[in-house]
Amino acid sequence: MVNNTFKAHTDAAFEKAKAYYAAKDEFKFSSESKGTKIYTKDVSDTHMPVTWGEITFVGITQEEILEKLRDANFRKVWDSRFEGAEILEKFDDDGGFLHSNQKGAMFVSGRDFSVAYHVYREGDTIFYVQTSVEDSRTPLVNGRVRGHLTVAAWILKKVDNGTEVVYITHVNPNGTVPGTLLKLVATETPACAGGLYEAMKKK
């Protein structure tokens, strides 16, 4: 097993994800898209809210969902902003380090992210957690703006008819982004949960 350089970072993001997950009453219902109920929570240190998308994957197991979440090629099917990702190091079956790219829009540059990820299991719930980290293997890229992912957590809870999925994210895209686009991203990002469900049903 390779030493997990970023375990402290993902552990901190995991604790943050659990705190958000336990405080749903602090999130306000925003809308529904792709069968996903979307909630937001305003925070003081960024223009982007914490977002929460929730949907039940009927007849699909936690492990099946986790497998698809780790498939970068499949993500292009259900996430319209995703451009690609490269895993730079795997520490073990649960953790690793990657570099990912997201498409730009109109006059807004594409974003890239330097991310550590880890899978946590607590009882009947799986947490697939990602957070931004700094590393010499992910230098800044010309033509892109380095975004900061405070936390992204796919929370997969086993229920009688399948898996309850909650997707919590808090991201700072950095750079200059029009307010209208920020609002769109705040809706589209949690709705990715519904996009994933639709894509998996077609397989």
Side-chain angles (χ1 to χ4, degrees):
M1 186 189 322
V2 178
N3 180 47
N4 188 337
T5 313
F6 303 117
K7 187 63 163 49
H9 294 78
T10 56
D11 284 353
F14 175 44
E15 293 303 321
K16 188 178 292 289
K18 287 197 297 181
Y20 285 139
Y21 187 51
K24 186 178 179 180
D25 58 341
E26 297 178 3
F27 287 75
K28 295 181 180 179
F29 178 77
S30 171
S31 59
E32 187 165 341
S33 177
K34 299 179 181 177
T36 306
K37 293 181 180 178
I38 297 169
Y39 304 82
T40 61
K41 172 184 169 68
D42 291 331
V43 288
S44 59
D45 61 341
T46 176
H47 295 299
M48 286 292 291
V50 182
T51 63
W52 172 309
E54 182 176 332
I55 187 172
T56 298
F57 284 42
V58 178
I60 301 177
T61 69
Q62 296 164 292
E63 295 298 337
E64 288 171 332
I65 298 168
L66 183 60
E67 179 185 359
K68 292 303 183 185
L69 287 172
R70 292 169 141 182
D71 185 340
N73 288 326
F74 190 64
R75 182 169 178 175
K76 294 177 181 178
V77 175
W78 53 269
D79 184 349
S80 61
R81 293 197 316 277
F82 181 72
E83 196 167 351
E86 178 185 5
I87 294 178
L88 300 175
E89 187 172 10
K90 288 188 70 174
F91 303 119
D92 51 35
D93 289 341
D94 289 330
F97 167 58
L98 60 83
H99 179 250
S100 69
N101 294 317
Q102 290 194 342
K103 300 174 184 175
M106 297 178 288
F107 302 106
V108 179
S109 299
R111 263 53 183 173
D112 75 322
F113 295 86
S114 174
V115 171
Y117 64 88
H118 200 84
V119 177
Y120 299 86
R121 293 174 172 83
E122 286 198 346
D124 60 358
T125 304
I126 295 174
F127 295 76
Y128 177 46
V129 177
Q130 297 180 324
T131 190
S132 282
V133 293
E134 295 183 3
D135 191 276
S136 61
R137 290 168 291 178
T138 52
L140 298 180
V141 179
N142 287 334
R144 291 189 182 275
V145 175
R146 176 63 52 86
H148 180 80
L149 185 64
T150 301
V151 62
W154 288 89
I155 303 170
L156 316 176
K157 182 178 181 179
K158 184 178 180 181
V159 293
D160 289 342
N161 61 341
T163 303
E164 178 188 85
V165 175
V166 170
Y167 181 32
I168 294 174
T169 60
H170 188 205
V171 61
N172 184 351
N174 289 323
T176 302
V177 182
T180 52
L181 185 56
L182 288 175
K183 290 180 181 178
L184 181 63
V185 171
T187 300
E188 285 187 343
T189 299
C192 280
L196 174 60
Y197 181 40
E198 290 302 317
M200 290 189 68
K201 286 196 297 182
K202 292 177 183 178
K203 286 291 182 179

